[in-house]
Structure formats: structure tokens, C-alpha cells
Amino acid sequence: MRDLLGLNQLLLAFLIFVPFERLFAARPQKIFRRGLLTDMAFLFINTWLVMAGVIAIVTVAILVNRSVLPAALTRAVGDLPYLVQVPIVILIADLGIYWTHRILHIVPAMWQIHSVHHAVEDLDWLAAIHQHPLDVLFMKVGALFPLYALGFSTEAIATYLAVYFWQTWLVHANVRLNYGPLRYILVSPEFHHWHHSSEAEARDKNFAGFISFYDVLFGSVYLPKAKKATTFGIDHPMPTRYLALLAYPFIAWASKRRSNNSSAVQHQLSNDGAPAQPRQSAPLS
Ligand SMILES: [Zn+2]
Ligand SMILES: [Zn+2]
């Protein structure tokens, strides 16, 4: 029977990362930590929510491949040997991940979606799946759309997806691993832990998924030598249950709209000579 939910891979990840985190723990942390049940819900429900979106992204990308891009280009890409395609696929996909991730941080409405991932305070391997389904889909657009549109082979893309699957568990894992001189080339757990840090100077840094050199190139790298990231999360309260986290961006957007509407009314009243009231924003959760 096909392992549709990825249970076999999850079991394998559990058998690898739980002892790995015990042996090389970056911080003392329990296996059965806060939010474990919520993460399980993310794992089992997100898979189904994301699947339909991924099919749509791949379908549109294939349409672009067949009817928009020059056939000479897509044929040349598809004819490249597998071993040449794989590193190019990783470079292109991670460039897509880098910019999608950076946009998710910069654009306020998109940050409401991505902040669900940053709500994790007890960072470990399983935190990798604590992600709003819309966030996963945006990342898939950034990574997969150019690959299918350009015509890379299914085998090369499948290899990238398999490697990325393990990379996401690894970079979130609570382990001391910084890759030494390679840390400015490849994304290590230490590099991504800083991305989740609640410290002000680490905010909006280290966006890459695989190639940390992209952060060096685009001026967003943060890897202090004498310090380690120790506290994680964001500076406002977030829901802790799965359904509340799923609803969070929609509630935040509605709240922002209400707040903008009331500001517009107050502005109108003050223009009409009525006293302006202090602005109040509605609670998000
Ligand atoms: Zn982020
Ligand atoms: Zn992360």
C-alpha cells in the first residue's frame, strides 16, 4: 500500500532525529514538548490541504512549459544529463525559496500566514511541519513552478524533493551543527535556528533553504561566531491549537481591515471638525 501520509518516512525521521537530538542537543529540551499534538495535526491534515494546490501549481507550470516558453529552451533543459540537472534544480529551486520566503517576511499580509511557522518556541526537528498550508503552497510555487516550467526531468525534481524533505527536518533539529567553513555556502541547523531567533538583530535574516550563499549574496545573512540562538518565537501572542492557527491569518486580515475602516471614519470625522479618537486595533486571536 502506498504511504500517502508519509508515515514510513515520518517513522524513519523519528528514529533518526530523536537519538540525534539526544546526542548533540543544542539546548536541553524534552521529546514530548509543548505543541507536540498541534504539530501532529499539521503533519496529518496539511498534507491533504496542500496536495490539491500542488497539483494546480504543477499543471499551470506544465502549461507554461508547453505553450509560453520556447520549445528549444525547454528541450535543451530536459536533455541535460540527470547529474547536471540535479545541482541546477537545487540552485533554481532554492533561489525561488529564498525570494518567496523573503516576500513572506516583508509583505504584512503574507507575514500573517508565515508567522504561524515562527510561532514555534520549542524548536526541534518536528517544528519543520508547523507551517500554514498557504505558506507551504507559496514556497512550492517559488520552488516547483520554475522547475516544471523550464522542463527539468521528473527524476531530477524528485531527487530535489527527497533531499529537501530531509533538509527541512535537519535544519530545524535541536542539534549543534554549523558546517564550519561551509556555513556560508550551505544552510546548517545553526543558520536556520538564527532565522527563528526572537532576538531583534536576527529578525528577517537567513532566508535560504539549502544555499546560505544566497543570503550572503543578497545581504541578509546573520551568523555571529561567538553566539548561539537560544530563544525562539515572535513578539506577540499566537494561538496554540491547530484550527486556531489555520484561522489566524484570516482573523488578522479581517482585524486589520476593521482597524483601517475605523481609521478612515475617524479621519473623516476629524476633517468635519469632530474630535479625533485614539486608534484602537482589534485583538488578533
Ligand atoms: Zn521565515
Ligand atoms: Zn523554519
Side-chain angles (χ1 to χ4, degrees), residues 101 105 111 114 117-118 192 195 207:
H101 193 177
H105 274 250
W111 168 249
H114 187 58
H117 183 53
H118 282 267
H192 195 66
H195 179 69
F207 296 107

Side-chain angles (χ1 to χ4, degrees), residues 205-227:
K205 297 283 192 288
N206 300 5
F207 296 107
F210 256 123
I211 317 286
S212 54
F213 185 69
Y214 283 142
D215 280 282
V216 178
L217 193 64
F218 300 122
S220 53
V221 70
Y222 184 75
L223 265 178
K225 270 192 179 156
K227 264 171 85 182

